């Protein structure tokens, strides 16, 4: 049995009268965005200016762009739908995502002080060597590729829903077209160019969400309480809507499963490679702190608007129609924008067009940021100076080729598995970041005894453990929302492995660095070896000779 993201009988949200105007306005917006991006592209070959904008970004601009890193298309279309369908569980997910920047705020000044901006370089703080840099590049790629697949898929499906063609063929075509456009953007962009686009996205997204919420509130006489009451009444389970446990992926493990999800979401979101690259573009440590303070405030406002949008979607549209279009609620923002105004009004066309433009900006910037950070890691960590000398390609050319290759591979994989629900890959990427990156960065910054053995044990052990536990979890088989719902080989009861993998990674890092068994063996040998007899003549002569020679 195949689980489709969109139902085959999904309604035409725009209507034939307004579809032409929406598509034309959307294409004009895409053209203007790409033209702007090409004007921002730099031809500078200096790695510092290319990778981290010469560490010269103003704090306010970098802070707004850092908030923009949180506005991805997956969050934009999934979070309101999750709240509309599952109430409290969706709100807790939004709160966890907002708290992630608070965790990053604790580590970001130390990261900026190291002047290193890839995982391989951070891992090399206390563990020099090509193996540690390669481990950083491998982790970055394992995080980036699944994340890119989910982002591209969500962007293509959103575009198909907007043009009123939710068929599988239309979804694939829209995904390929969006992917090719984004590949053109990412191929010429650098960190400074993506910064301006990210910064422009934030006010547009906040204004669009605010407009949708205000129009929805008008239907309830500007009463938030009436809106929330209507959301509860139109939910699939009014008695459980404002309580935990309504989300279908929560298994019988109950609180343990919820705790594992919280760990993965907070720590994983805080340790994404593109966030580390972003904070390294700050002028200095105080500027990094100020940028993060701005980002935390804007991100908190964004998630507050998302939560309100989710409740508004449930109140105006209803959980039933949202679930009929998409079992995970990813059509909720578009459904809400299409229902809050009369169907033949110009305002409705403008509102839907704004939602479409924000969704495109979210896909464009999210994919470009993740791809660029992964390409920088490949250039600096996987193909260092010796590797580039062997293939006789400069650093800038390697970066551009890596960006195009990563986009192409991700797009190919996305289209190949398009008929399967791959949203679990987002949780897998977050699990890898929480398991392999967070403990390694904490040890590298705070523990002087952390060494190469501990790092390799932590990274490779954490990567293997995350992969095995995810494959054996309900996210892959045995549940309605699984990748293979008709099969059941889940041996691990938790939806995400964070509750087990994160402590295990810390333990592996300590064991590999401290090696307590070697100390125990050395102490046993010391006790077993008899002490020399200082009263023996030979001992006195040897001692004297040693002193004389010294």
């Amino acid at each position: 049995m195949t689980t489709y993201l969109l139902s085959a009988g999904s309604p035409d949200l725009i209507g034939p009268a307004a579809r032409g105007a929406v598509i034309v306005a959307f294409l004009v917006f895409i053209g203007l965005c790409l033209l702007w991006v090409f004007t921002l592209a730099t031809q500078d070959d200096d790695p510092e200016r290319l990778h981290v904008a010469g560490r010269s970004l103003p704090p306010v601009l970098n802070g707004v762009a850092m908030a923009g890193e949180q506005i991805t298309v997956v969050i934009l279309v999934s979070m309101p739908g999750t709240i509309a369908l599952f109430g409290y569980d969706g709100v807790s997910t939004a709160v966890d995502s907002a708290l992630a920047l608070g965790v990053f705020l604790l580590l970001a000044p130390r990261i900026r002080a190291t002047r290193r901006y890839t995982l391989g370089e951070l891992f090399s703080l206390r563990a020099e060597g090509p193996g540690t840099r390669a481990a950083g590049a491998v982790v970055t790629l394992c995080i980036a590729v699944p994340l890119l697949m989910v982002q591209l898929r969500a962007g293509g499906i959103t575009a198909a829903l907007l043009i009123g063609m939710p068929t599988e063929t239309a979804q694939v075509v829209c995904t390929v077209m969006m992917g090719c456009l984004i590949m053109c953007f990412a191929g010429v962009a650098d960190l400074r160019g993506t910064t301006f686009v990210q910064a422009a996205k934030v006010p547009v997204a906040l204004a669009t969400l605010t407009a949708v919420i205000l129009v929805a509130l008008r239907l309830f006489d500007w009463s938030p309480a009436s809106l929330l009451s209507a959301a509860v009444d139109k939910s699939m389970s009014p008695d459980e809507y404002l309580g935990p446990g309504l989300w279908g992926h929560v298994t019988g493990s109950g609180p343990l499963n919820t705790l594992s999800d919280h760990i993965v979401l907070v720590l994983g979101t805080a340790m994404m490679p593109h966030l580390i690259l972003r904070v390294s573009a700050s002028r200095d440590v105080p500027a990094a702190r100020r940028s993060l303070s701005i980002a935390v405030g804007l991100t908190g406002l964004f998630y507050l608007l998302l939560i309100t949008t989710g409740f508004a979607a449930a109140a105006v549209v209803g959980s039933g129609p949202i679930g009929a279009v998409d079992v995970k609620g990813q059509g909720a923002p578009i459904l809400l924008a299409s229902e809050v105004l009369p169907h033949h009004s110009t305002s409705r066309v403008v509102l839907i067009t704004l939602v479409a433009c924000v969704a495109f900006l979210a896909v464009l910037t999210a994919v470009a940021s993740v791809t660029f950070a992964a390409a920088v890691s490949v250039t600096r960590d996987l193909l260092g100076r010796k590797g580039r000398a062997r293939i006789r390609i400069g650093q800038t050319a390697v970066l551009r080729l890596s960006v195009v290759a990563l986009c192409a591979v991700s797009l190919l994989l996305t289209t190949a598995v398009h008929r399967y629900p791959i949203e679990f890959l987002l949780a897998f990427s977050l699990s890898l970041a929480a398991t392999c990156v967070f403990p390694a960065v904490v040890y590298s910054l705070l523990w002087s005894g952390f060494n190469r053995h501990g790092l390799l044990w932590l990274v490779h052990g954490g990567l293997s453990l995350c992969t095995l536990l995810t494959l054996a979890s309900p996210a892959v088989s045995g549940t309605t929302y699984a990748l293979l719902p008709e099969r059941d080989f889940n041996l691990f009861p938790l939806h995400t492995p964070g509750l087990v993998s994160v402590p295990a990674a810390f333990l592996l890092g300590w064991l590999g660095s401290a090696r307590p068994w070697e100390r125990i063996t050395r102490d046993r040998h010391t006790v077993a070896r008899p002490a020399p007899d200082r009263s023996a003549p030979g001992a006195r002569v040897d001692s004297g000779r040693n002193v004389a020679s010294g």
Side-chain angles (χ1 to χ4, degrees):
M1 184 181 70
T2 302
T3 303
Y4 294 91
L5 183 63
L6 293 180
S7 171
S10 297
D12 185 355
L13 303 182
I14 301 176
R19 183 182 296 112
V22 171
I23 292 176
V24 169
F26 184 48
L27 291 177
V28 170
F29 179 78
I30 290 174
L32 292 175
C33 284
L34 292 178
L35 180 62
W36 187 34
V37 166
F38 277 99
T39 61
L40 293 174
T42 180
Q43 302 299 323
D44 201 333
D45 291 334
D46 181 19
E48 286 277 312
R49 292 182 61 83
L50 188 64
H51 298 163
V52 286
R55 304 184 190 275
S56 61
L57 294 180
V60 175
L61 177 64
N62 201 29
V64 177
M66 201 173 296
E69 299 281 5
Q70 307 299 312
I71 305 177
T72 66
V73 67
V74 173
I75 292 177
L76 190 66
V77 302
S78 297
M79 196 71 71
T82 303
I83 294 168
L85 293 178
F86 309 120
Y88 174 90
D89 292 331
V91 173
S92 66
T93 302
V95 172
D96 287 343
S97 301
L99 289 176
L101 268 186
V103 174
F104 187 58
L105 181 61
L106 300 176
L107 296 175
R110 293 178 179 270
I111 293 173
R112 175 60 186 87
T114 65
R115 299 188 64 84
R116 305 185 182 208
Y117 51 84
T118 67
L119 290 186
E121 291 175 342
L122 283 174
F123 289 174
S124 300
L125 275 173
R126 305 190 187 277
E128 288 289 346
T132 57
R133 284 181 171 266
V138 168
V139 170
T140 301
L141 291 175
C142 290
I143 292 172
V145 173
L147 201 58
L148 290 173
M149 292 174 62
V150 176
Q151 297 282 357
L152 289 170
R153 173 186 171 86
I157 289 172
T158 303
L161 191 60
L162 281 166
I163 63 175
M165 298 176 63
T167 63
E168 182 184 351
T169 303
Q171 292 173 29
V172 173
V173 170
C174 289
T175 300
V176 172
M177 292 179 64
M178 295 279 284
C180 291
L181 287 172
I182 293 167
M183 192 185 304
C184 294
F185 166 59
V188 300
D190 60 355
L191 192 69
R192 181 176 292 278
T194 57
T195 296
F196 284 105
V197 182
Q198 291 278 20
K201 177 182 67 177
V202 173
V204 174
L206 296 181
T208 301
L209 290 175
T210 302
V212 172
I213 291 169
L214 289 177
V215 175
L217 274 173
R218 189 186 64 171
L219 300 177
F220 297 93
D221 297 326
W222 307 102
S223 172
S226 299
L227 186 146
L228 181 60
S229 177
V232 173
D233 293 337
K234 290 188 177 182
S235 67
M236 293 181 291
S237 182
D239 295 334
E240 301 174 355
Y241 186 70
L242 296 181
L246 187 59
W247 201 345
H249 84 256
V250 178
T251 61
S253 300
L256 292 180
N257 192 80
T258 304
L259 179 60
S260 185
D261 287 348
H262 290 328
I263 291 173
V264 165
L265 194 54
V266 173
L267 300 185
T269 305
M271 288 289 105
M272 284 292 163
H274 55 278
L275 273 183
I276 294 174
L277 189 69
R278 170 69 57 191
V279 78
S280 300
S282 302
R283 293 172 178 172
D284 48 30
V285 174
R289 288 197 185 98
R290 187 180 175 192
S291 297
L292 274 165
S293 299
I294 295 171
V296 168
L298 290 174
T299 303
L301 176 61
F302 170 67
Y303 280 109
L304 180 62
L305 292 175
L306 277 186
I307 292 171
T308 309
T309 302
F311 285 129
V316 174
V317 183
S319 298
I322 292 174
V325 173
D326 168 22
V327 294
K328 295 187 179 179
Q330 293 193 27
I334 304 169
L335 283 166
L336 177 61
S338 67
E339 293 293 332
V340 289
L341 291 170
H343 276 237
H344 298 289
S345 65
T346 305
S347 302
R348 177 176 179 271
V349 175
V350 172
L351 193 61
I352 294 175
T353 304
L354 281 175
V355 173
C357 293
V358 171
F360 173 74
L361 266 181
V363 178
L364 183 73
T365 52
V367 173
S369 293
V370 174
T371 306
F372 187 76
V376 170
S377 180
V378 170
T379 305
R380 294 183 66 86
D381 298 332
L382 207 57
L383 295 174
R385 292 182 180 179
K386 294 181 180 179
R388 293 194 300 272
R390 282 196 299 269
I391 60 178
R392 298 181 181 180
I393 299 180
Q395 188 166 348
T396 304
V398 170
L399 178 68
R400 301 302 186 197
L401 290 175
S402 299
V403 167
V404 174
L406 281 168
C407 282
V409 169
S410 301
L411 186 58
L412 182 64
L413 292 174
T414 304
T415 54
V417 299
H418 194 82
R419 63 172 54 239
Y420 296 98
I422 59 170
E423 284 74 23
F424 80 97
L425 291 178
L426 176 61
F428 177 68
S429 290
L430 294 174
S431 299
L432 285 181
T435 302
C436 300
V437 181
F438 180 74
V441 169
V442 169
Y443 274 152
S444 298
L445 295 175
L446 303 178
W447 183 27
S448 60
F450 191 53
N451 58 29
R452 183 174 180 273
H453 290 289
L455 176 78
L456 295 180
W457 281 36
L458 187 157
V459 171
H460 295 305
L463 181 60
S464 302
L465 190 60
C466 268
T467 304
L468 292 175
L469 292 182
T470 300
L471 290 176
S473 72
V476 175
S477 69
T479 60
T480 306
Y481 296 96
L483 174 67
L484 303 171
E486 71 279 5
R487 300 187 181 181
D488 189 357
F489 49 83
N490 65 84
L491 304 175
F492 182 67
L494 305 182
H495 185 260
T496 53
L499 188 62
V500 175
S501 60
V502 174
F506 273 107
L507 179 61
L508 287 171
W510 176 78
L511 286 175
S513 299
R515 296 192 172 189
W517 60 88
E518 291 185 354
R519 186 181 309 165
I520 294 173
T521 304
R522 187 168 55 250
D523 292 343
R524 286 178 179 174
H525 284 307
T526 302
V527 172
R529 186 183 301 119
D533 187 1
R534 296 294 181 183
S535 62
R540 287 197 300 269
V541 172
D542 291 342
S543 176
R545 187 181 300 139
N546 291 337
V547 171
S549 63

